[in-house]
Every structure is written in structure tokens, then in C-alpha cells.
Amino acid sequence: MKITDASVRPYPAGDSTLARMAVEAAELGFDSVVAIGEGAPPVGGAAVLRGAVISGASPKEVIKQVREPAAQHADVVFVNAGDIAFNRAVVSIKEVQVLRNIHAARKNAFDHVAARSAAQRGLAVDISLAPLIQYRGTKRQRALQQYEDILLLHRRYGFLLTISSGACSILEQRSVREIRGLCALFGMTGAEVNEALASVGRIVEPDQPVRVVG
């Protein structure tokens, strides 16, 4: 399966063009990236998948948004995490593929009930590296604790994890080696990182063979 950065935000949302970010991703060891927002199609570098982010205030609103053209035409559909009741509900919505921004949710907002449902559905929880790169002090420590809790649930229930740089420019993109180092901060092993980097490929092309990351 393809080794994928599960979320980058190219210009105009970010500072670098999609074409430049695709080239950078390839140089950093990625086969593909999921681009959030608009951008000119690249002519080289890593393959680009289209990502749609839904930020509904209620499960009913999420259901409405996943049926709109932006989500229907996306390769990967993300939903921003909310409180525990919201997360338990949205992981059961068929069109939702990845729950993101878990670092911004309250502690225990993703619990064993949501974890079991996610595992049954093949839904992934995204680990964004952006807070580990950009935050300092208490905010960074809180994100690390959230990820440690998610990792423990992942090991118990087996739902998918994805890893995203959340990069808005080429300066924020990270190599596979750097990602392993950042994920080690909350106890993720190299093998678990490799598996998570391949999860977008499993979501998009579930029958494709796995490529070993060196």
C-alpha cells in the first residue's frame, strides 16, 4: 500500500502550492498525500488524493454534509472530533472514513465504545503531527497524552490510525524518519508508524499489497 501523509493544506489555505508539496513529499519518502482544499493538480512528485473535512455541530449535520458534492467527490472524508456522544455517533456513519483533530477534543472523548465501532467499520483516527511541531508547554503535553490514550485503545481494539503532518507549507512537512521520532514521544513503535502511514492506502484501495518502509 502507498505510504501517505494523511493531510496537507496547500495554497490558498497554506503557503506552498500543491505541486511543490507533492514534490517535497516524494523527496521525504511518501508515495502520496491527502490534500485538503483547492490546489492545482501536480505534474510530478507524490500522488495526490482529495480530502474533504466535515466540521458538523451534530451527527445529523454530518450526515447532511457527507451527501454534498465536496464529500461525494473526495477520496478521503474526514470529520473533526467533538464530545464523546458526537464521536460515538459519527464513527458509525458509513461515509465517514477518518476522525481527525482528536488532540483538540476533551480527554476520553474517544472511548472504548467509539473504538470498538471504529474497528468494526474500518474507520481510522488521525494522529496529526501539527500540535507536536507547533505547540509548546502544556498544550503540547496535552496532545501527547491524547495520542497516548488513543494508541492504547488502538492496541486493544485494532482500529486504524493515520498520520498527518497537517503541513501548510513545505517547511512543515516531515520525512518518515522524523515522523517515527515524533511518534516515539507518545510510545508509538516504528512498526506501528509504518502501519499507520499505510492506512490511507487501505481505506482507498483495500486490496492493494503493502510496501515495506525502509
Coordinates of all heavy atoms in Angstrom, one line a residue, residues 127 147-148 151-152 154-155 161 163 176-197 213:
I127 N -3.7 10.9 13.7 CA -2.7 11.5 14.5 C -2.0 12.6 13.8 O -1.2 12.4 12.9 CB -1.6 10.4 14.9 CG1 -2.3 9.2 15.6 CG2 -0.5 11.1 15.8 CD1 -2.9 9.5 17.0
Y147 N -2.8 11.4 22.4 CA -2.3 10.4 21.5 C -1.9 9.1 22.2 O -2.1 8.0 21.6 CB -1.1 11.0 20.7 CG -1.5 12.1 19.7 CD1 -0.5 12.9 19.2 CD2 -2.8 12.2 19.3 CE1 -0.8 13.9 18.3 CE2 -3.1 13.3 18.4 CZ -2.1 14.1 17.9 OH -2.5 15.1 17.1
E148 N -1.3 9.2 23.4 CA -1.0 8.0 24.1 C -2.3 7.2 24.5 O -2.3 6.0 24.3 CB -0.3 8.4 25.4 CG 0.2 7.2 26.2 CD 1.0 7.6 27.5 OE1 1.6 8.8 27.5 OE2 1.0 6.9 28.4
L151 N -3.5 5.6 21.3 CA -2.6 4.4 21.0 C -3.0 3.2 21.8 O -3.0 2.1 21.3 CB -1.2 4.8 21.2 CG -0.1 3.8 20.8 CD1 -0.2 3.4 19.3 CD2 1.3 4.3 21.1
L152 N -3.3 3.4 23.1 CA -3.7 2.3 24.0 C -5.0 1.6 23.5 O -5.1 0.4 23.4 CB -3.8 2.8 25.4 CG -2.5 3.1 26.1 CD1 -2.8 3.7 27.5 CD2 -1.6 1.9 26.2
H154 N -6.1 1.8 20.4 CA -5.8 1.2 19.1 C -5.2 -0.2 19.3 O -5.6 -1.2 18.6 CB -4.8 2.0 18.4 CG -4.0 1.3 17.3 ND1 -4.6 1.0 16.1 CD2 -2.8 0.9 17.2 CE1 -3.7 0.4 15.3 NE2 -2.6 0.3 16.0
R155 N -4.3 -0.4 20.3 CA -3.7 -1.7 20.6 C -4.7 -2.7 21.1 O -4.6 -3.9 20.8 CB -2.6 -1.5 21.5 CG -1.3 -0.8 20.9 CD -0.3 -0.4 22.0 NE 0.9 0.2 21.4 CZ 1.9 0.7 22.1 NH1 1.8 0.9 23.4 NH2 2.9 1.2 21.4
L161 N -5.2 3.7 12.4 CA -4.6 5.0 12.7 C -4.1 5.6 11.4 O -3.5 4.8 10.6 CB -3.5 5.0 13.7 CG -3.9 4.6 15.1 CD1 -2.6 4.5 16.0 CD2 -4.9 5.5 15.8
I163 N -1.6 9.0 10.0 CA -0.7 10.0 10.5 C -0.6 11.1 9.5 O -0.4 10.9 8.3 CB 0.8 9.5 10.7 CG1 0.7 8.4 11.8 CG2 1.7 10.6 11.1 CD1 2.1 7.7 12.0
V176 N 9.7 10.4 6.8 CA 9.3 9.2 7.5 C 10.1 9.0 8.8 O 9.6 8.7 9.8 CB 9.3 8.0 6.6 CG1 9.0 6.7 7.4 CG2 8.3 8.1 5.5
R177 N 11.4 9.2 8.7 CA 12.3 9.1 9.8 C 11.9 10.1 10.9 O 11.8 9.8 12.1 CB 13.7 9.3 9.4 CG 14.7 9.4 10.6 CD 16.1 9.6 10.2 NE 16.7 8.4 9.7 CZ 18.0 8.3 9.4 NH1 18.8 9.4 9.5 NH2 18.6 7.2 9.0
E178 N 11.6 11.4 10.5 CA 11.3 12.4 11.5 C 9.9 12.0 12.2 O 9.7 12.2 13.4 CB 11.2 13.7 10.9 CG 12.5 14.3 10.5 CD 12.4 15.6 9.7 OE1 11.7 15.6 8.6 OE2 13.0 16.6 10.1
I179 N 9.0 11.5 11.4 CA 7.7 11.1 11.9 C 7.9 10.0 12.9 O 7.2 10.0 14.0 CB 6.8 10.6 10.7 CG1 6.3 11.9 10.0 CG2 5.6 9.9 11.3 CD1 5.6 11.6 8.7
R180 N 8.7 9.0 12.7 CA 9.0 8.0 13.7 C 9.5 8.6 15.0 O 9.1 8.1 16.1 CB 10.0 7.0 13.1 CG 9.5 6.1 12.0 CD 10.5 4.9 11.9 NE 10.1 4.1 10.7 CZ 10.8 4.1 9.6 NH1 11.9 4.9 9.5 NH2 10.5 3.4 8.6
G181 N 10.4 9.6 14.9 CA 10.9 10.2 16.1 C 9.8 10.9 16.9 O 9.7 10.9 18.1
L182 N 8.9 11.7 16.2 CA 7.8 12.4 16.8 C 6.8 11.4 17.5 O 6.4 11.6 18.6 CB 7.1 13.3 15.8 CG 7.9 14.5 15.4 CD1 7.3 15.2 14.2 CD2 8.0 15.6 16.5
C183 N 6.5 10.4 16.8 CA 5.5 9.4 17.3 C 6.1 8.6 18.5 O 5.3 8.1 19.3 CB 5.1 8.5 16.2 SG 4.0 9.3 14.9
A184 N 7.4 8.5 18.5 CA 8.0 7.8 19.7 C 7.8 8.5 21.0 O 7.9 8.0 22.1 CB 9.5 7.6 19.4
L185 N 7.5 9.8 20.9 CA 7.3 10.7 22.1 C 6.1 10.2 22.8 O 6.0 10.4 24.1 CB 7.1 12.1 21.7 CG 8.4 12.8 21.0 CD1 8.0 14.2 20.6 CD2 9.5 12.8 22.0
F186 N 5.1 9.6 22.2 CA 4.0 9.1 22.9 C 3.9 7.5 22.9 O 2.8 7.0 23.1 CB 2.7 9.7 22.4 CG 2.4 9.6 21.0 CD1 1.6 8.5 20.5 CD2 2.8 10.5 20.0 CE1 1.4 8.4 19.1 CE2 2.5 10.4 18.7 CZ 1.8 9.4 18.2
G187 N 5.0 6.9 22.5 CA 5.1 5.5 22.7 C 4.8 4.6 21.5 O 4.7 3.4 21.6
M188 N 4.7 5.3 20.3 CA 4.3 4.5 19.1 C 5.6 3.9 18.6 O 6.7 4.5 18.5 CB 3.8 5.5 18.1 CG 2.9 4.8 17.0 SD 2.0 6.1 16.0 CE 1.0 5.0 15.0
T189 N 5.6 2.6 18.2 CA 6.7 1.9 17.7 C 6.9 2.2 16.2 O 6.0 2.6 15.5 CB 6.6 0.4 17.9 OG1 5.5 -0.1 17.1 CG2 6.3 0.0 19.4
G190 N 8.1 1.8 15.7 CA 8.4 2.0 14.3 C 7.4 1.2 13.4 O 6.9 1.7 12.4
A191 N 7.1 0.0 13.9 CA 6.2 -0.9 13.1 C 4.8 -0.3 13.1 O 4.1 -0.3 12.1 CB 6.2 -2.3 13.7
E192 N 4.4 0.3 14.2 CA 3.1 0.9 14.3 C 3.0 2.2 13.4 O 2.0 2.4 12.8 CB 2.7 1.3 15.7 CG 2.4 0.0 16.6 CD 2.3 0.4 18.0 OE1 2.9 1.3 18.5 OE2 1.5 -0.4 18.7
V193 N 4.1 2.9 13.3 CA 4.1 4.1 12.4 C 4.0 3.6 11.0 O 3.2 4.2 10.2 CB 5.4 4.9 12.7 CG1 5.6 5.9 11.6 CG2 5.5 5.5 14.0
N194 N 4.8 2.6 10.6 CA 4.7 2.1 9.2 C 3.3 1.7 8.9 O 2.8 2.0 7.8 CB 5.6 0.9 9.1 CG 7.1 1.3 9.2 OD1 7.5 2.5 9.2 ND2 8.0 0.3 9.3
E195 N 2.6 1.0 9.8 CA 1.3 0.5 9.5 C 0.3 1.7 9.4 O -0.5 1.7 8.5 CB 0.8 -0.4 10.7 CG -0.6 -1.0 10.5 CD -1.0 -1.9 11.7 OE1 -0.1 -2.1 12.5 OE2 -2.1 -2.3 11.7
A196 N 0.5 2.7 10.2 CA -0.4 3.9 10.2 C -0.2 4.7 8.9 O -1.2 5.2 8.3 CB -0.2 4.8 11.4
L197 N 1.0 4.8 8.4 CA 1.3 5.5 7.2 C 0.7 4.8 6.0 O 0.5 5.4 4.9 CB 2.8 5.7 7.0 CG 3.5 6.6 8.0 CD1 5.1 6.5 7.8 CD2 3.1 8.1 7.7
V213 N 8.3 0.0 4.4 CA 9.0 1.3 4.5 C 10.4 1.0 5.1 O 10.5 0.4 6.2 CB 8.3 2.3 5.5 CG1 9.0 3.6 5.5 CG2 6.8 2.5 5.0

